Structures are given as C-alpha cells and as structure tokens.
Amino acid sequence: MRIGILGGTFNPIHIGHLILAEEACFKLKLDKLIFVPTFIPPHKDAAAGASPQDRLRMILAAIEDNPNFEASSFEIDSRKKSYSIDTLREFKRVYGGDAQLYFITGSDSLKDLFSWKDVNEIFKISKFIVANRAGYPFEAVPKEVETVVITPIEISSEDIRKRLSENRSIRYLVPEKVREYIIEHNLYK
C-alpha cells in the first residue's frame, strides 16, 4: 500500500492544498492520502487562526467527497508540539512494514529541513517528497529528497486569513463548505 502523508496547519485548508493532494496521488500512484493537521507546529506561529478542532473539521468538510483522501487527528489528539517523525512512526506502526509512506511537503520547507527533529530517520521510514510552491524554487535539494511538480497555485492560508480580517471575499479560494464553516463559526476575524 502506498500512503501519502500531508501534514500542516491547514489554517484554513484551501484549494492549493487540495490540488497538491490530488496531483500527488496521481503522480506518486498513491492508494490514499492522509491530511494530518498539527496541534502545535514547531516552525510556525500557532496563535493566529482557528483551533485545532476547527481546522480538522474544515479538512473533513473539504475532502468528504474524495474517496482517496482521509484526515487523521493523531497530532491533535497528542495535545503536544507536532513533530513529523512522531507521526511517521505512528503511521508505520498502524499500517505495518509493507506500507510505503510518502511524506509530502512544500518546497518552502527545504530551507529549514535539516533543523527538523530526527530528519535522517524521516528519510529512512518514508519517501520524502517535496512539491513545488510558488516563490520557492527547488534549490539545494538533498539526495534523500524526491521532487514532484504540481500545478502552481498562488494561494496561502495567510492571505486567506488576511482577506477575512479585512472583510474581503475568499470565495473560490477555499471549498464552499469550508467558506461556510468559517462564516458560521466567525473564524479569522
């Protein structure tokens, strides 16, 4: 079984995340892709935005009609700072040695890669996949890393939060069910 793991804050999940996931599934021939929202991200400010539970609910709303996508609450349920290595160890335990894990991240992560906790073990227990991201070209890609080129979409969660704080529209930047959830729960104001 070929399983993609796509972690992040997803604060909120947007069309760019979904396009990345869909194209990664196709190009890497994945059997499924699991979105794993962080509880407390080690490399980002967790203060801005929605609660972990709200972020998970938005992911579930965004992916409900795609049978290849799942969401995991593993990092949220841990209630501690989220490290990729801990998540990968858990998925390896759950899915067993026969499963091939594909850890997928954006090219913006390359600059900090060797500051990650136990990054060499991450390389050993998963195929480490970096997808292109607008403004972050593939530079100094380590030999342990594979790249995948996806349709470039210039959307960021940060921009979506900014638009919402300015009472601007986010229609078509996020799935409609996510937009409705944000409005209903008065998030990012």
Side-chain angles (χ1 to χ4, degrees), residues 1-32:
M1 186 171 223
R2 297 162 69 96
I3 302 168
I5 310 294
L6 183 58
T9 52
F10 303 108
N11 193 19
I13 190 168
H14 55 68
I15 298 299
H17 295 126
L18 298 169
I19 290 170
L20 163 61
E22 184 71 13
E23 291 191 18
C25 274
F26 175 76
K27 292 182 176 184
L28 301 170
K29 297 176 176 55
L30 301 178
D31 295 298
K32 69 174 156 181

mmCIF file of all heavy atoms in Angstrom, residues 1-32:
data_model
loop_
_atom_site.group_PDB
_atom_site.id
_atom_site.type_symbol
_atom_site.label_atom_id
_atom_site.label_comp_id
_atom_site.label_asym_id
_atom_site.label_seq_id
_atom_site.Cartn_x
_atom_site.Cartn_y
_atom_site.Cartn_z
ATOM 1 N N MET A 1 0.848 -1.181 0.000
ATOM 2 C CA MET A 1 0.000 0.000 0.000
ATOM 3 C C MET A 1 0.889 1.239 0.000
ATOM 4 O O MET A 1 1.853 1.318 0.742
ATOM 5 C CB MET A 1 -0.908 -0.026 1.229
ATOM 6 C CG MET A 1 -1.922 1.083 1.248
ATOM 7 S SD MET A 1 -3.109 0.840 2.588
ATOM 8 C CE MET A 1 -4.583 1.234 1.722
ATOM 9 N N ARG A 2 0.531 2.205 -0.837
ATOM 10 C CA ARG A 2 1.284 3.460 -0.955
ATOM 11 C C ARG A 2 0.435 4.574 -0.334
ATOM 12 O O ARG A 2 -0.635 4.896 -0.850
ATOM 13 C CB ARG A 2 1.573 3.749 -2.420
ATOM 14 C CG ARG A 2 2.452 2.676 -3.067
ATOM 15 C CD ARG A 2 2.387 2.720 -4.576
ATOM 16 N NE ARG A 2 3.014 3.904 -5.141
ATOM 17 C CZ ARG A 2 4.260 3.950 -5.595
ATOM 18 N NH1 ARG A 2 5.037 2.879 -5.539
ATOM 19 N NH2 ARG A 2 4.743 5.062 -6.107
ATOM 20 N N ILE A 3 0.955 5.131 0.776
ATOM 21 C CA ILE A 3 0.178 6.088 1.558
ATOM 22 C C ILE A 3 0.906 7.426 1.610
ATOM 23 O O ILE A 3 2.042 7.509 2.072
ATOM 24 C CB ILE A 3 -0.045 5.566 2.993
ATOM 25 C CG1 ILE A 3 -0.756 4.211 2.958
ATOM 26 C CG2 ILE A 3 -0.825 6.584 3.823
ATOM 27 C CD1 ILE A 3 -0.775 3.494 4.277
ATOM 28 N N GLY A 4 0.223 8.470 1.163
ATOM 29 C CA GLY A 4 0.755 9.821 1.257
ATOM 30 C C GLY A 4 0.362 10.450 2.576
ATOM 31 O O GLY A 4 -0.772 10.279 3.034
ATOM 32 N N ILE A 5 1.297 11.158 3.177
ATOM 33 C CA ILE A 5 1.055 11.874 4.430
ATOM 34 C C ILE A 5 1.299 13.354 4.138
ATOM 35 O O ILE A 5 2.413 13.736 3.768
ATOM 36 C CB ILE A 5 2.019 11.427 5.556
ATOM 37 C CG1 ILE A 5 2.077 9.913 5.699
ATOM 38 C CG2 ILE A 5 1.686 12.130 6.869
ATOM 39 C CD1 ILE A 5 0.821 9.264 6.160
ATOM 40 N N LEU A 6 0.264 14.157 4.289
ATOM 41 C CA LEU A 6 0.374 15.596 4.049
ATOM 42 C C LEU A 6 0.041 16.314 5.344
ATOM 43 O O LEU A 6 -1.115 16.386 5.755
ATOM 44 C CB LEU A 6 -0.569 16.027 2.919
ATOM 45 C CG LEU A 6 -0.517 17.487 2.504
ATOM 46 C CD1 LEU A 6 0.880 17.896 2.048
ATOM 47 C CD2 LEU A 6 -1.533 17.757 1.390
ATOM 48 N N GLY A 7 1.078 16.785 6.014
ATOM 49 C CA GLY A 7 0.882 17.482 7.277
ATOM 50 C C GLY A 7 0.896 18.984 7.068
ATOM 51 O O GLY A 7 1.324 19.484 6.034
ATOM 52 N N GLY A 8 0.416 19.689 8.063
ATOM 53 C CA GLY A 8 0.434 21.144 8.005
ATOM 54 C C GLY A 8 -0.547 21.730 8.997
ATOM 55 O O GLY A 8 -1.271 21.013 9.686
ATOM 56 N N THR A 9 -0.554 23.053 9.046
ATOM 57 C CA THR A 9 -1.513 23.707 9.933
ATOM 58 C C THR A 9 -2.900 23.738 9.304
ATOM 59 O O THR A 9 -3.894 23.702 10.006
ATOM 60 C CB THR A 9 -1.054 25.135 10.285
ATOM 61 O OG1 THR A 9 -0.759 25.828 9.093
ATOM 62 C CG2 THR A 9 0.147 25.115 11.202
ATOM 63 N N PHE A 10 -2.967 23.860 7.972
ATOM 64 C CA PHE A 10 -4.261 23.935 7.278
ATOM 65 C C PHE A 10 -5.145 24.968 7.976
ATOM 66 O O PHE A 10 -6.230 24.670 8.447
ATOM 67 C CB PHE A 10 -4.945 22.566 7.219
ATOM 68 C CG PHE A 10 -4.100 21.512 6.560
ATOM 69 C CD1 PHE A 10 -3.520 20.493 7.307
ATOM 70 C CD2 PHE A 10 -3.865 21.544 5.200
ATOM 71 C CE1 PHE A 10 -2.732 19.518 6.703
ATOM 72 C CE2 PHE A 10 -3.076 20.570 4.583
ATOM 73 C CZ PHE A 10 -2.513 19.559 5.337
ATOM 74 N N ASN A 11 -4.656 26.197 7.987
ATOM 75 C CA ASN A 11 -5.240 27.255 8.816
ATOM 76 C C ASN A 11 -5.693 28.460 7.983
ATOM 77 O O ASN A 11 -5.151 29.533 8.172
ATOM 78 C CB ASN A 11 -4.205 27.659 9.874
ATOM 79 C CG ASN A 11 -4.795 28.510 10.971
ATOM 80 O OD1 ASN A 11 -5.996 28.548 11.174
ATOM 81 N ND2 ASN A 11 -3.931 29.197 11.683
ATOM 82 N N PRO A 12 -6.673 28.276 7.076
ATOM 83 C CA PRO A 12 -7.504 27.100 6.797
ATOM 84 C C PRO A 12 -6.991 26.318 5.589
ATOM 85 O O PRO A 12 -6.140 26.795 4.838
ATOM 86 C CB PRO A 12 -8.856 27.724 6.452
ATOM 87 C CG PRO A 12 -8.486 28.983 5.720
ATOM 88 C CD PRO A 12 -7.231 29.487 6.425
ATOM 89 N N ILE A 13 -7.561 25.119 5.403
ATOM 90 C CA ILE A 13 -7.299 24.350 4.198
ATOM 91 C C ILE A 13 -7.838 25.139 3.004
ATOM 92 O O ILE A 13 -8.853 25.830 3.125
ATOM 93 C CB ILE A 13 -7.923 22.941 4.274
ATOM 94 C CG1 ILE A 13 -7.419 22.075 3.113
ATOM 95 C CG2 ILE A 13 -9.444 22.992 4.378
ATOM 96 C CD1 ILE A 13 -7.745 20.604 3.248
ATOM 97 N N HIS A 14 -7.139 25.071 1.872
ATOM 98 C CA HIS A 14 -7.586 25.826 0.691
ATOM 99 C C HIS A 14 -7.387 25.000 -0.574
ATOM 100 O O HIS A 14 -6.889 23.865 -0.519
ATOM 101 C CB HIS A 14 -6.880 27.185 0.611
ATOM 102 C CG HIS A 14 -5.387 27.122 0.626
ATOM 103 N ND1 HIS A 14 -4.638 26.593 -0.402
ATOM 104 C CD2 HIS A 14 -4.487 27.521 1.577
ATOM 105 C CE1 HIS A 14 -3.355 26.684 -0.110
ATOM 106 N NE2 HIS A 14 -3.229 27.231 1.095
ATOM 107 N N ILE A 15 -7.790 25.571 -1.681
ATOM 108 C CA ILE A 15 -7.754 24.879 -2.970
ATOM 109 C C ILE A 15 -6.333 24.438 -3.318
ATOM 110 O O ILE A 15 -6.139 23.361 -3.888
ATOM 111 C CB ILE A 15 -8.340 25.786 -4.077
ATOM 112 C CG1 ILE A 15 -9.813 26.108 -3.781
ATOM 113 C CG2 ILE A 15 -8.201 25.157 -5.450
ATOM 114 C CD1 ILE A 15 -10.731 24.916 -3.718
ATOM 115 N N GLY A 16 -5.330 25.227 -2.977
ATOM 116 C CA GLY A 16 -3.942 24.848 -3.253
ATOM 117 C C GLY A 16 -3.555 23.544 -2.581
ATOM 118 O O GLY A 16 -2.889 22.691 -3.176
ATOM 119 N N HIS A 17 -3.973 23.357 -1.317
ATOM 120 C CA HIS A 17 -3.706 22.099 -0.612
ATOM 121 C C HIS A 17 -4.358 20.923 -1.343
ATOM 122 O O HIS A 17 -3.767 19.855 -1.489
ATOM 123 C CB HIS A 17 -4.268 22.132 0.818
ATOM 124 C CG HIS A 17 -3.631 23.113 1.725
ATOM 125 N ND1 HIS A 17 -4.370 24.053 2.427
ATOM 126 C CD2 HIS A 17 -2.341 23.325 2.073
ATOM 127 C CE1 HIS A 17 -3.547 24.785 3.173
ATOM 128 N NE2 HIS A 17 -2.304 24.363 2.977
ATOM 129 N N LEU A 18 -5.591 21.137 -1.787
ATOM 130 C CA LEU A 18 -6.342 20.054 -2.418
ATOM 131 C C LEU A 18 -5.785 19.702 -3.794
ATOM 132 O O LEU A 18 -5.732 18.524 -4.168
ATOM 133 C CB LEU A 18 -7.825 20.436 -2.495
ATOM 134 C CG LEU A 18 -8.469 20.637 -1.116
ATOM 135 C CD1 LEU A 18 -9.842 21.280 -1.250
ATOM 136 C CD2 LEU A 18 -8.550 19.327 -0.356
ATOM 137 N N ILE A 19 -5.351 20.706 -4.539
ATOM 138 C CA ILE A 19 -4.730 20.439 -5.836
ATOM 139 C C ILE A 19 -3.422 19.676 -5.639
ATOM 140 O O ILE A 19 -3.141 18.706 -6.342
ATOM 141 C CB ILE A 19 -4.520 21.753 -6.613
ATOM 142 C CG1 ILE A 19 -5.885 22.302 -7.052
ATOM 143 C CG2 ILE A 19 -3.594 21.558 -7.810
ATOM 144 C CD1 ILE A 19 -5.844 23.710 -7.616
ATOM 145 N N LEU A 20 -2.623 20.096 -4.668
ATOM 146 C CA LEU A 20 -1.389 19.384 -4.347
ATOM 147 C C LEU A 20 -1.697 17.917 -4.024
ATOM 148 O O LEU A 20 -1.064 17.003 -4.548
ATOM 149 C CB LEU A 20 -0.675 20.044 -3.168
ATOM 150 C CG LEU A 20 0.393 19.213 -2.451
ATOM 151 C CD1 LEU A 20 1.523 18.823 -3.384
ATOM 152 C CD2 LEU A 20 0.929 19.951 -1.244
ATOM 153 N N ALA A 21 -2.672 17.696 -3.164
ATOM 154 C CA ALA A 21 -3.008 16.339 -2.741
ATOM 155 C C ALA A 21 -3.486 15.490 -3.924
ATOM 156 O O ALA A 21 -3.061 14.342 -4.094
ATOM 157 C CB ALA A 21 -4.076 16.379 -1.649
ATOM 158 N N GLU A 22 -4.340 16.052 -4.745
ATOM 159 C CA GLU A 22 -4.884 15.314 -5.887
ATOM 160 C C GLU A 22 -3.785 14.956 -6.894
ATOM 161 O O GLU A 22 -3.697 13.820 -7.365
ATOM 162 C CB GLU A 22 -5.985 16.146 -6.560
ATOM 163 C CG GLU A 22 -6.690 15.442 -7.688
ATOM 164 C CD GLU A 22 -7.600 14.310 -7.253
ATOM 165 O OE1 GLU A 22 -7.912 14.183 -6.043
ATOM 166 O OE2 GLU A 22 -8.008 13.529 -8.125
ATOM 167 N N GLU A 23 -2.942 15.928 -7.212
ATOM 168 C CA GLU A 23 -1.877 15.670 -8.177
ATOM 169 C C GLU A 23 -0.810 14.732 -7.610
ATOM 170 O O GLU A 23 -0.278 13.891 -8.326
ATOM 171 C CB GLU A 23 -1.269 16.983 -8.664
ATOM 172 C CG GLU A 23 -2.244 17.759 -9.529
ATOM 173 C CD GLU A 23 -1.626 18.945 -10.255
ATOM 174 O OE1 GLU A 23 -0.380 19.018 -10.390
ATOM 175 O OE2 GLU A 23 -2.399 19.804 -10.690
ATOM 176 N N ALA A 24 -0.518 14.851 -6.316
ATOM 177 C CA ALA A 24 0.439 13.937 -5.688
ATOM 178 C C ALA A 24 -0.093 12.506 -5.727
ATOM 179 O O ALA A 24 0.658 11.567 -6.006
ATOM 180 C CB ALA A 24 0.741 14.364 -4.258
ATOM 181 N N CYS A 25 -1.378 12.329 -5.467
ATOM 182 C CA CYS A 25 -1.978 10.989 -5.535
ATOM 183 C C CYS A 25 -1.766 10.384 -6.914
ATOM 184 O O CYS A 25 -1.375 9.221 -7.038
ATOM 185 C CB CYS A 25 -3.476 11.050 -5.231
ATOM 186 S SG CYS A 25 -3.876 10.967 -3.497
ATOM 187 N N PHE A 26 -2.007 11.174 -7.940
ATOM 188 C CA PHE A 26 -1.873 10.679 -9.300
ATOM 189 C C PHE A 26 -0.415 10.410 -9.659
ATOM 190 O O PHE A 26 -0.062 9.328 -10.119
ATOM 191 C CB PHE A 26 -2.496 11.681 -10.281
ATOM 192 C CG PHE A 26 -2.293 11.307 -11.717
ATOM 193 C CD1 PHE A 26 -3.034 10.291 -12.293
ATOM 194 C CD2 PHE A 26 -1.347 11.956 -12.490
ATOM 195 C CE1 PHE A 26 -2.843 9.927 -13.620
ATOM 196 C CE2 PHE A 26 -1.138 11.603 -13.814
ATOM 197 C CZ PHE A 26 -1.893 10.580 -14.385
ATOM 198 N N LYS A 27 0.443 11.391 -9.436
ATOM 199 C CA LYS A 27 1.837 11.282 -9.880
ATOM 200 C C LYS A 27 2.637 10.255 -9.089
ATOM 201 O O LYS A 27 3.559 9.642 -9.621
ATOM 202 C CB LYS A 27 2.511 12.647 -9.838
ATOM 203 C CG LYS A 27 1.932 13.581 -10.892
ATOM 204 C CD LYS A 27 2.592 14.929 -10.916
ATOM 205 C CE LYS A 27 1.990 15.731 -12.068
ATOM 206 N NZ LYS A 27 2.616 17.020 -12.245
ATOM 207 N N LEU A 28 2.305 10.065 -7.824
ATOM 208 C CA LEU A 28 3.023 9.104 -6.988
ATOM 209 C C LEU A 28 2.310 7.751 -6.916
ATOM 210 O O LEU A 28 2.758 6.855 -6.214
ATOM 211 C CB LEU A 28 3.218 9.671 -5.576
ATOM 212 C CG LEU A 28 4.004 10.988 -5.496
ATOM 213 C CD1 LEU A 28 3.926 11.573 -4.086
ATOM 214 C CD2 LEU A 28 5.448 10.794 -5.928
ATOM 215 N N LYS A 29 1.166 7.656 -7.599
ATOM 216 C CA LYS A 29 0.369 6.420 -7.624
ATOM 217 C C LYS A 29 0.003 5.959 -6.210
ATOM 218 O O LYS A 29 0.171 4.782 -5.848
ATOM 219 C CB LYS A 29 1.097 5.320 -8.394
ATOM 220 C CG LYS A 29 1.311 5.661 -9.859
ATOM 221 C CD LYS A 29 2.126 4.595 -10.558
ATOM 222 C CE LYS A 29 2.296 4.837 -12.042
ATOM 223 N NZ LYS A 29 2.857 6.116 -12.433
ATOM 224 N N LEU A 30 -0.495 6.910 -5.420
ATOM 225 C CA LEU A 30 -0.839 6.611 -4.037
ATOM 226 C C LEU A 30 -2.187 5.904 -3.954
ATOM 227 O O LEU A 30 -3.100 6.188 -4.733
ATOM 228 C CB LEU A 30 -0.902 7.908 -3.218
ATOM 229 C CG LEU A 30 0.374 8.739 -3.172
ATOM 230 C CD1 LEU A 30 0.136 10.018 -2.375
ATOM 231 C CD2 LEU A 30 1.532 7.946 -2.575
ATOM 232 N N ASP A 31 -2.305 5.007 -2.989
ATOM 233 C CA ASP A 31 -3.587 4.366 -2.710
ATOM 234 C C ASP A 31 -4.493 5.290 -1.910
ATOM 235 O O ASP A 31 -5.712 5.237 -2.040
ATOM 236 C CB ASP A 31 -3.370 3.055 -1.947
ATOM 237 C CG ASP A 31 -2.618 2.045 -2.796
ATOM 238 O OD1 ASP A 31 -3.152 1.664 -3.861
ATOM 239 O OD2 ASP A 31 -1.494 1.659 -2.413
ATOM 240 N N LYS A 32 -3.872 6.109 -1.076
ATOM 241 C CA LYS A 32 -4.636 7.126 -0.343
ATOM 242 C C LYS A 32 -3.693 8.201 0.153
ATOM 243 O O LYS A 32 -2.474 7.991 0.233
ATOM 244 C CB LYS A 32 -5.439 6.527 0.798
ATOM 245 C CG LYS A 32 -4.637 5.997 1.964
ATOM 246 C CD LYS A 32 -5.604 5.585 3.064
ATOM 247 C CE LYS A 32 -5.039 4.564 3.997
ATOM 248 N NZ LYS A 32 -6.008 4.174 5.010
#
